[in-house]
Amino acid sequence: MFTGIVEEKGKVISIARNKSSLSLTIEAAKVTSGVAVGDSISVNGVCLTVTSYDKDRFLVDVIPETFRGSSLAKVTVGSEVNLERAMSASGRFGGHFVSGHVDAVGTIDRTWTEDNAQYIFIAIPTEGLPFVALKGSICVDGTSLTVFGVEEDGFVISLIPETRRATVIGNKKLGDVVNVEYDMLAKYMDRLLTAKADSQETKEGLTEEKLKQFGF
């Protein structure tokens, strides 16, 4: 479990590529403190397991499912990535509940600025829009952010100067892709309501309305 509060920007210093998987070596100063093999670290919003480490770098594997379902397939040597260690039970909760399981890969479609704020519109698959709410929480590349606008094909976020400095999002360009994780509570609510509706339909059994739907 993560909070979406990025601890530092790391740098990819080596990549071992296979057809649909990766091994990444990431240079970092803060998240390697107290790390152990088997620990979870969020890399651009993707929960990955540390397989080896030393004082200023760590190694993680990206399996085919993650390779296909996130933007990590596009990282190159020298790429900066957002990093966050798994949340400690004794730590402060500064963001929102983030699992590190990417729901969609979004595309930066347009950006603009107003005073000290940078606005970014991110296009996403339309099936994800029900989970995006105005002024609600969303996670983009591992960063907990607030939704400032919802349109028919995506959403708007706003970055303060500190977020632009401390994360990789402020350096993204038009056409770049980002990992998006929808609000966990919204996903659970949708699942509960869907299950309830399915259960109710099963209980009703065969009705006149259903017969009409099947052409009888």
Side-chain angles (χ1 to χ4, degrees):
M1 185 70 69
F2 305 92
T3 67
I5 304 300
V6 174
E7 294 187 85
E8 67 174 317
K9 290 187 289 187
K11 181 181 290 187
V12 177
I13 58 175
S14 71
I15 303 174
R17 291 185 181 273
N18 294 307
K19 182 178 180 180
S20 57
S21 64
L22 298 169
S23 290
L24 302 175
T25 302
I26 300 172
E27 185 178 65
K30 189 171 183 178
V31 300
T32 52
S33 175
V35 74
V37 171
D39 283 355
S40 296
I41 293 179
S42 171
V43 179
N44 275 0
V46 181
C47 178
L48 298 175
T49 300
V50 175
T51 58
S52 67
Y53 66 94
D54 60 30
K55 65 178 182 178
D56 59 1
R57 66 188 63 189
F58 64 96
L59 180 71
V60 290
D61 290 324
V62 178
I63 62 174
E65 180 67 23
T66 306
F67 183 93
R68 291 187 290 264
S70 76
S71 67
L72 291 183
K74 297 183 179 296
V75 299
T76 60
V77 172
S79 292
E80 288 189 317
V81 288
N82 289 330
L83 301 175
E84 182 192 356
R85 290 169 290 188
M87 182 175 63
S88 168
S90 60
R92 298 182 67 182
F93 199 134
H96 72 280
F97 289 114
V98 175
S99 67
H101 301 155
V102 174
D103 293 304
V105 174
T107 302
I108 295 180
D109 188 68
R110 59 186 187 270
T111 67
W112 64 98
T113 59
E114 182 179 350
D115 292 336
N116 63 347
Q118 178 186 11
Y119 292 89
I120 301 176
F121 178 83
I122 299 174
I124 58 171
T126 54
E127 59 265 25
L129 287 171
F131 305 115
V132 183
L134 184 64
K135 302 299 177 68
S137 297
I138 199 157
C139 186
V140 178
D141 270 354
T143 306
S144 175
L145 295 164
T146 300
V147 176
F148 283 93
V150 182
E151 299 181 19
E152 61 182 11
D153 58 348
F155 62 92
V156 177
I157 57 173
S158 178
L159 307 180
I160 64 173
E162 175 61 18
T163 305
R164 296 201 299 270
R165 182 199 66 78
T167 76
V168 302
I169 304 173
N171 295 325
K172 297 283 186 176
K173 303 177 183 64
L174 293 180
D176 283 352
V177 293
V178 292
N179 294 318
V180 178
E181 181 182 332
Y182 306 126
D183 184 67
M184 186 184 300
L185 299 178
K187 291 188 290 184
Y188 274 119
M189 182 62 70
D190 177 75
R191 178 69 185 110
L192 288 169
L193 292 175
T194 301
K196 183 176 181 180
D198 291 343
S199 176
Q200 185 63 35
E201 184 175 339
T202 301
K203 290 178 181 178
E204 289 175 355
L206 191 62
T207 64
E208 181 179 353
E209 183 61 30
K210 286 185 180 180
L211 288 172
K212 289 180 179 178
Q213 289 175 3
F214 292 122
F216 291 94

